[in-house]
Amino acid sequence: MRFLVVVVCFLCCCYSAEENKPIQTFVIPHSHMDVGWVYTIQESMHAYAANVYTTVTEELSKAADRRFIAVEQEFFRLWWDTVATDSHKKQVRQLVKDGRLEFIIGGQVMHDEAVTDLDDEILQMTEGHGFLYETFGVRPQFSWHVDPFGASATTPVLFALAGFNAHLISRIDYDLKDAMQKNKKLQFVWRGSPSLKEKQQIFTHTMDQFSYCTPSQLPFSNSSGFYWNGVAMFPDPPKNGVYPNMSLPVTKDTVQAYAKTMVENIKQRAAWFRTNHVLWPWGCDKQFYNSSVQFNNMDPLMKYINQNSKEFGVTVQYATLSEYFQAIYQSELVWELRGSEDFLPYSTEPHQAWTGFYASRNVLKGVARQASSQLQAAETLFTRYRISFPDGPVAKDWALDKLRALRWAVSEVQHHDGITGTESPKVANMYLQHLMQAAMGVDELLAALFLLPHNLNIPSILDSRYHRKGVHQSLEQHVIAYNPLAWNTTTIINITVKFPTAAVFDDDGQPVPAQIQKSAHSNVTYDLFMMVELGGLQHRKYLIKFSEKLCSGKSKCGQTYKAKGVLFERRNIRDWLKTGRRLLPVLNECYKLMFDQDTNLLHSITDLQVKRTVRMTQDFWEYHANGDVKAGPISDNYIFSANSSAVRAYKAVEMEIIPGKIVTEIRQLFYREESDKDYTYSITTRVPDCFGRRLQCHRLEQTYSLGPLHLNTEVILRTSSSLKNNQTLYTDDNGYQIMQRTYRNFTNNTLARNYFPMVRTAYIEDDLSRLVLVSDRAHGVSSQRTTRGHAPSSVIKPTLWMMLGSISATSKLYQREAIELQHRPVIMPIDQPQRPLKVENPRGRSPVRSVVLPPNLHLLSLSIPGWNYSSDHDVHLSHIHSGKDLHSEPDYDRVLLRIMHLFEEGEDPELSKPVTINLKDVLQGIGEVELLEERSLTGTWNITSLQRWKWRTADTLETNNKRCWSCGDEAFTVTISPKEIRTFFIHFASRNF
């Protein structure tokens, strides 16, 4: 449990919105079980988590009025698969059927909301929801987001699209929560998306100052409050069964004191809400591992309160979350509306801004996103394979096992103490191990899908080896590039090789434009840049011919350009007396970048489309953070606490420019001290040479490295520009929508409270231009005066793409650019450099047919989930309740398809319009679509049967839930409106074409 309790006293007489009625209290038993934090998942299962579900199942079965809510599905699924007996499973099914055990949220984890990506939030919910629906026929309809460090506006949108009726949050700014409590505004209707409006509005309950834990300060007992089972023990439970901090049992001598304390707390809470219904969470971190002790003490306490309800003015009952929200819904009050603003960043008190975790464990953040991208690529490739070659040699069960392992690993790290970087080192290692092991398994799957022959009539991709006549037979290597996006792309890929000379050919034997140069990170390797053209969801094979000798002519090198660098003298900042005198230009069709030879820093960028020059500098600065606990809050994995403004983190800069015909690379090395041999920071900027090619010239790719860092420092990459942005910054919420971040002054901690999470995108703008950065992982960003920066830590090498242009031009680009960075082509070397085995003429292999969506639509998912349940809910329930053997084989014929509209309403004159497509036509490159059914976001609801609660607001609008299947008369035609995510089950015909 990681929050501060602020004690506020109110007069007990101010307890009810309806003075003549007793306060109706909904006691909701729960256990908050972090999927990793201080202890690993395995340690938690051993110490307490398994016992929670074992003992809760047994105790709920003893009394019909008892309730419990289960939140994090990873622990429940582990218990169900490895611990639960047949008797336990039978009891659970009955408890779920009776509504006494309720699954809340239903995802694998309670995901973080600040630094998680849209793709991964949907994945982890889909994983949990699929299991629950297949196993029990239940579909979670309420959230319990009590512990993420701030609340995103995207989360309620996703929950609404998944079919939820109400949303519950807790961690918002302390001062805002205090104001909402006093004004009885802790409950509201949230319209998280400005484009979807009422289509996704959801009732939201904010927990009061006590958050999700029962108050623990009891004057007559010890500090564990209403937790009679005490505190969980690691690694092993005590042999005598006596746990630390076990509260006094409820007896005839203590029941009155317990009742008085509980009633006073209930009345205090009631004063903060508009109805006379009080949600009283009973539980906390790692509770209910000995549920018999818990319920056997609470039962007589609640009985005593109800027997004296007239005196107390309070009634109590065990309840699930749905029972509480049902009571609120039936009150038929008109609720205040909240727009698309979020609750980020989050502060617990004036000097504790939880903005440090935006950058904590940056390596883990990067690995998690990379694994997610790899999973998405493998899902699409396996889906194509299954549809085209259902009897191919890649075993479907083996393939699905590989995919499920990575789905699980990517899902679990989305936990609010996972990707946030707020976990212990051993838990971080656990996440990394799970991700890397599962990623290796998916690498094996990708190799099999690429390399194995699909059937006897179609040869393996390895069978098409060839050699051009007249080319010296040197070492050769084959590489496959796969485009996992449903857009055609022409892009540059980079392969590390060990030879100074290379020629590249495509699968038709044609030379491919390429460039080779010495690596920026190694003296013994080379960077080989290749320009590839790939259709949507298409892969191609490339042949690389190496030579240990330099090229002597075009016939031997193909179109490969050997690039050489120009090294500039190291510049010490103490000599920066006059700058801007010697500017060196680097140009392409979009930009002119000017580098200052007096400083070796970027000086300016000219947008050649509008002929505007923006002064711009990039370098590294650092905050000296508080590391003394006695001096106040320290900067740690959660909190950012700087002692003063940032200072320059280097004293000298070197620069090397490598002009090229594919890309020009600028390498800047920053030295902490003038005499240092090794650099501490670096920026590598790649400017694509697009003249006469179909490459996108607006994309400036940057990779930067940091570390090792000094203790108690927070380092930023500072991008200073001449744009007059009035300290207003724009960042994305989970890669879904852009939020305006206006700089605010606070009495305390203004610097830290003006950092915001950037998941994919951040930009600043003035009236004429916009400067955009998109990233391959989450960072913290801020606009402090005229600067903006990222606050990562440790030795890391993130990638950024930078764009400068008019607001209209960048509006058309940044969403797609962020996705193209996240889902770059998958590059797979399929052999080692070797002598050719045989000489053949090129085989004319038909390339895989491409799948292409309009530029404002994104293929969010194309996968075979494998869950086996009937699309007809009544049929599925009858199967579950039949009592027959419920074991079923995975469904390999059902394909899950999600398509997302990238643009906000009104963002672009053309691209923001609704888009009508025929899915049969769009997907014909994969196969013939035979059946199409629209589903909820996680697939468990048929959209036609999903009827969400309609909460009353002052401007209640009639929500149009009807979807436009056919805006013409043609079947399989759907219209997707701005920011919509539409989900479908698709079945393809058994034979293609």
Side-chain angles (χ1 to χ4, degrees):
M1 181 174 63
R2 303 168 300 286
F3 60 90
L4 299 178
V5 175
V6 181
V7 179
V8 181
C9 294
F10 287 83
L11 294 175
C12 291
C13 60
C14 303
Y15 62 79
S16 178
E18 300 172 72
E19 297 293 342
N20 297 325
K21 293 183 180 180
I23 299 171
Q24 186 179 3
T25 310
F26 295 80
V27 177
I28 300 182
H30 75 99
S31 181
H32 185 73
M33 296 188 280
D34 289 304
V35 183
W37 175 33
V38 178
Y39 301 100
T40 66
I41 292 167
Q42 295 78 4
E43 288 173 331
S44 295
M45 278 294 291
H46 175 71
Y48 79 94
N51 286 340
V52 170
Y53 290 114
T54 297
T55 63
V56 163
T57 297
E58 294 167 353
E59 291 305 310
L60 293 187
S61 299
K62 293 177 181 178
D65 64 329
R66 291 175 176 176
R67 301 286 190 272
F68 193 81
I69 62 169
V71 182
E72 298 87 0
Q73 288 313 304
E74 178 153 343
F75 283 127
F76 179 83
R77 286 176 69 182
L78 286 171
W79 175 80
W80 183 263
D81 291 338
T82 64
V83 178
T85 64
D86 290 341
S87 174
H88 286 140
K89 290 184 177 181
K90 185 176 180 181
Q91 287 175 311
V92 168
R93 292 188 189 281
Q94 189 61 49
L95 292 170
V96 171
K97 184 179 179 182
D98 295 342
R100 289 185 281 155
L101 174 62
E102 184 171 71
F103 294 103
I104 301 298
I105 305 177
Q108 281 289 89
V109 298
M110 185 187 299
H111 69 256
D112 171 67
E113 300 191 43
V115 298
T116 43
D117 186 82
L118 170 81
D119 295 359
D120 305 322
E121 292 178 359
I122 296 173
L123 169 70
Q124 71 89 19
M125 280 207 305
T126 303
E127 272 294 283
H129 287 194
F131 164 76
L132 290 175
Y133 191 59
E134 181 182 74
T135 309
F136 304 110
V138 298
R139 299 171 287 203
Q141 297 178 51
F142 306 96
S143 86
W144 182 263
H145 257 230
V146 296
D147 205 26
F149 319 136
S152 158
T154 298
T155 300
V157 173
L158 298 183
F159 286 161
L161 296 177
F164 284 27
N165 288 313
H167 179 39
L168 186 147
I169 63 176
S170 182
R171 289 184 180 271
I172 65 173
D173 266 357
Y174 69 97
D175 48 359
L176 177 59
K177 178 174 283 194
D178 183 53
M180 291 169 73
Q181 281 185 174
K182 290 176 180 177
N183 297 308
K184 295 187 178 183
K185 292 187 175 183
L186 290 170
Q187 295 170 321
F188 51 88
V189 170
W190 200 351
R191 289 181 183 165
S193 165
S195 293
L196 297 183
K197 300 183 179 67
E198 73 281 356
K199 293 179 184 178
Q200 45 73 54
Q201 71 180 26
I202 192 167
F203 180 80
T204 303
H205 172 102
T206 310
M207 282 192 155
D208 55 49
Q209 67 184 38
F210 295 102
S211 191
Y212 62 86
C213 289
T214 311
S216 60
Q217 290 79 13
L218 302 188
F220 55 88
S221 187
N222 59 30
S223 62
S224 63
F226 294 81
Y227 315 131
W228 292 278
N229 56 347
V231 176
M233 290 285 289
F234 288 82
D236 296 308
K239 294 180 179 178
N240 61 5
V242 178
Y243 288 81
N245 294 348
M246 294 179 72
S247 287
L248 293 173
V250 176
T251 65
K252 62 181 181 180
D253 297 324
T254 62
V255 67
Q256 190 172 6
Y258 270 114
K260 181 173 181 253
T261 300
M262 185 171 177
V263 167
E264 285 178 352
N265 184 258
I266 289 168
K267 289 181 176 180
Q268 186 176 354
R269 292 174 186 261
W272 299 326
F273 294 92
R274 293 178 60 195
T275 73
N276 70 328
H277 308 99
V278 170
L279 187 162
W280 203 77
W282 176 37
C284 197
D285 291 40
K286 299 179 279 293
Q287 281 295 313
F288 282 86
Y289 52 84
N290 192 344
S291 299
S292 64
V293 176
Q294 290 287 75
F295 282 111
N296 288 335
N297 279 280
M298 184 60 87
D299 285 352
L301 173 58
M302 291 175 61
K303 182 179 180 181
Y304 180 84
I305 292 174
N306 286 333
Q307 286 174 341
N308 298 278
S309 61
K310 288 187 178 180
E311 175 190 344
F312 288 130
V314 167
T315 64
V316 292
Q317 67 188 73
Y318 290 123
T320 59
L321 191 59
S322 65
E323 290 173 311
Y324 169 74
F325 277 128
Q326 185 75 46
I328 301 298
Y329 182 63
Q330 290 172 349
S331 70
E332 295 191 342
L333 293 178
V334 176
W335 298 99
E336 186 177 69
L337 269 174
R338 186 176 183 88
S340 58
E341 66 268 27
D342 60 12
F343 295 94
L344 292 166
Y346 163 63
S347 293
T348 49
E349 62 176 62
H351 293 283
Q352 292 196 336
W354 291 42
T355 57
F357 77 91
Y358 299 160
S360 297
R361 299 200 194 282
N362 203 276
V363 171
L364 175 62
K365 285 176 167 64
V367 171
R369 282 273 282 277
Q370 186 178 10
S372 172
S373 299
Q374 182 193 29
L375 174 63
Q376 193 261 5
E379 297 275 20
T380 57
L381 198 64
F382 176 63
T383 301
R384 291 199 69 153
Y385 183 89
R386 272 291 305 162
I387 294 165
S388 301
F389 308 103
D391 299 318
V394 178
K396 57 187 180 182
D397 292 339
W398 173 81
L400 189 59
D401 284 345
K402 298 294 185 186
L403 292 171
R404 281 178 165 171
L406 191 51
R407 290 173 191 170
W408 188 296
V410 172
S411 293
E412 75 177 11
V413 79
Q414 307 311 315
H415 168 59
H416 57 268
D417 278 306
I419 198 166
T420 53
T422 53
E423 66 278 8
S424 67
K426 67 178 177 181
V427 175
N429 290 337
M430 176 202 72
Y431 289 131
L432 286 169
Q433 182 182 23
H434 291 177
L435 287 166
M436 290 188 289
Q437 284 181 342
M440 287 173 61
V442 167
D443 272 341
E444 294 176 14
L445 171 60
L446 287 169
L449 293 171
F450 284 137
L451 303 182
L452 288 179
H454 295 154
N455 60 34
L456 295 177
N457 298 320
I458 299 179
S460 160
I461 198 166
L462 282 178
D463 291 339
S464 57
R465 294 198 166 197
Y466 54 83
H467 301 281
R468 292 170 55 83
K469 292 182 178 179
V471 177
H472 174 69
Q473 291 189 15
S474 54
L475 297 179
E476 65 173 30
Q477 184 176 21
H478 297 81
V479 173
I480 291 176
Y482 172 59
N483 174 19
L485 297 171
W487 300 318
N488 295 334
T489 184
T490 300
T491 190
I492 299 169
I493 63 174
N494 180 18
I495 300 172
T496 300
V497 297
K498 295 182 179 180
F499 302 95
T501 302
V504 184
F505 305 93
D506 64 19
D507 45 13
D508 292 324
Q510 297 301 311
V512 173
Q515 173 179 322
I516 195 166
Q517 61 197 43
K518 286 188 176 181
S519 171
H521 306 293
S522 168
N523 293 325
V524 296
T525 61
Y526 299 84
D527 288 329
L528 175 63
F529 297 98
M530 302 159 45
M531 194 175 77
V532 299
E533 297 185 37
L534 298 166
L537 303 187
Q538 187 181 70
H539 63 268
R540 299 189 69 176
K541 187 185 68 171
Y542 295 88
L543 171 67
I544 306 172
K545 289 182 170 293
F546 297 110
S547 174
E548 298 182 20
K549 299 179 180 179
L550 295 178
C551 298
S552 58
K554 186 174 180 180
S555 62
K556 292 186 178 180
C557 291
Q559 294 188 13
T560 303
Y561 177 77
K562 178 77 173 182
K564 295 182 179 181
V566 179
L567 186 63
F568 293 82
E569 181 183 353
R570 183 183 296 198
R571 296 294 180 183
N572 300 327
I573 63 171
R574 60 181 170 81
D575 298 328
W576 291 0
L577 302 177
K578 293 183 179 180
T579 61
R581 299 171 301 166
R582 298 180 298 157
L583 300 180
L584 186 68
V586 176
L587 289 91
N588 67 6
E589 288 184 339
C590 289
Y591 304 119
K592 179 171 70 173
L593 285 75
M594 302 296 283
F595 289 88
D596 190 341
Q597 295 181 63
D598 292 320
T599 64
N600 286 336
L601 297 181
L602 177 65
H603 174 272
S604 62
I605 299 180
T606 300
D607 175 7
L608 297 178
Q609 309 301 313
V610 297
K611 305 293 191 293
R612 186 191 183 192
T613 298
V614 175
R615 285 290 305 270
M616 194 180 304
T617 302
Q618 288 183 305
D619 57 357
F620 294 93
W621 290 57
E622 63 186 11
Y623 296 106
H624 294 292
N626 177 37
D628 183 1
V629 177
K630 296 179 182 179
I634 63 170
S635 262
D636 59 15
N637 285 23
Y638 295 89
I639 293 169
F640 172 41
S641 179
N643 289 335
S644 59
S645 299
V647 296
R648 191 176 275 110
Y650 61 94
K651 291 185 178 177
V653 189
E654 280 183 4
M655 180 172 66
E656 182 180 13
I657 296 181
I658 307 172
K661 293 190 176 181
I662 298 292
V663 62
T664 292
E665 187 170 274
I666 302 96
R667 301 171 181 174
Q668 295 165 291
L669 309 180
F670 298 78
Y671 295 84
R672 187 181 293 280
E673 302 295 337
E674 293 178 3
S675 59
D676 283 355
K677 180 180 178 182
D678 299 319
Y679 61 88
T680 305
Y681 316 102
S682 72
I683 303 174
T684 300
T685 303
R686 290 170 180 162
V687 182
D689 188 332
C690 310
F691 295 101
R693 298 195 179 100
R694 284 184 284 173
L695 280 173
Q696 308 245 359
C697 66
H698 56 262
R699 179 189 299 165
L700 301 173
E701 179 178 322
Q702 295 189 304
T703 57
Y704 63 98
S705 68
L706 301 91
L709 306 181
H710 283 172
L711 190 64
N712 297 326
T713 59
E714 299 274 359
V715 176
I716 62 170
L717 169 64
R718 191 185 74 155
T719 303
S720 299
S721 82
S722 59
L723 295 180
K724 299 185 185 335
N725 69 313
N726 197 29
Q727 290 183 263
T728 299
L729 174 69
Y730 296 83
T731 71
D732 66 320
D733 254 16
N734 310 109
Y736 176 70
Q737 56 191 352
I738 294 293
M739 313 298 290
Q740 179 175 311
R741 311 295 193 184
T742 302
Y743 187 89
R744 295 183 296 165
N745 284 300
F746 298 92
T747 304
N748 299 292
N749 215 18
T750 292
L751 190 153
R753 293 185 77 174
N754 277 289
Y755 265 88
F756 299 91
M758 164 192 175
V759 176
R760 292 185 188 173
T761 308
Y763 60 79
I764 57 174
E765 64 185 24
D766 60 15
D767 293 339
L768 298 176
S769 300
R770 178 184 287 167
L771 175 65
V772 184
L773 293 180
V774 297
S775 176
D776 67 344
R777 69 195 72 188
H779 297 283
V781 295
S782 184
S783 180
Q784 307 276 348
R785 298 201 180 104
T786 58
T787 69
R788 62 195 306 273
H790 302 255
S793 59
S794 76
V795 182
I796 58 165
K797 294 179 181 178
T799 296
L800 299 171
W801 287 354
M802 181 165 64
M803 291 167 286
L804 176 69
S806 67
I807 292 173
S808 61
T810 54
S811 292
K812 299 177 190 296
L813 293 171
Y814 76 86
Q815 289 269 23
R816 181 161 169 152
E817 288 294 305
I819 291 169
E820 290 192 353
L821 172 57
Q822 186 154 325
H823 298 288
R824 285 167 284 186
V826 174
I827 310 301
M828 178 167 286
I830 56 179
D831 52 17
Q832 295 295 322
Q834 57 188 326
R835 300 292 178 188
L837 300 178
K838 57 185 178 179
V839 178
E840 295 180 359
N841 291 323
R843 285 182 192 232
R845 299 185 73 248
S846 301
V848 176
R849 296 180 67 185
S850 60
V851 175
V852 182
L853 285 172
N856 47 1
L857 297 185
H858 169 44
L859 182 68
L860 202 62
S861 308
L862 183 70
S863 66
I864 298 175
W867 301 114
N868 196 335
Y869 51 77
S870 172
S871 293
D872 186 309
H873 182 60
D874 293 333
V875 172
H876 182 53
L877 284 185
S878 66
H879 174 64
I880 285 176
H881 297 152
S882 66
K884 298 177 182 177
D885 180 16
L886 296 176
H887 178 72
S888 58
E889 294 299 319
D891 184 345
Y892 288 98
D893 296 324
R894 178 189 290 155
V895 173
L896 176 68
L897 170 73
R898 289 191 190 95
I899 297 178
M900 173 181 170
H901 197 301
L902 294 179
F903 285 78
E904 294 282 2
E905 195 175 70
E907 187 174 9
D908 184 85
E910 290 300 320
L911 295 172
S912 289
K913 292 179 179 178
V915 183
T916 300
I917 57 174
N918 185 294
L919 289 175
K920 196 180 186 77
D921 293 342
V922 168
L923 299 173
Q924 65 181 342
I926 298 176
E928 182 184 353
V929 177
E930 199 170 56
L931 180 66
L932 182 66
E933 175 190 354
E934 184 160 15
R935 307 290 292 189
S936 60
L937 182 67
T938 58
T940 55
W941 289 88
N942 186 311
I943 206 71
T944 59
S945 63
L946 177 57
Q947 298 294 326
R948 296 175 58 240
W949 293 354
K950 294 181 180 179
W951 296 84
R952 297 181 64 190
T953 60
D955 70 337
T956 297
L957 303 172
E958 283 298 318
T959 301
N960 180 14
N961 286 323
K962 295 181 180 179
R963 301 297 183 118
C964 180
W965 280 102
S966 178
C967 294
D969 294 327
E970 197 172 3
F972 306 107
T973 299
V974 297
T975 297
I976 303 173
S977 298
K979 280 300 171 187
E980 271 197 323
I981 302 172
R982 297 186 67 176
T983 305
F984 304 91
F985 282 164
I986 293 182
H987 287 263
F988 287 85
S990 56
R991 290 184 178 274
N992 295 326
F993 318 117

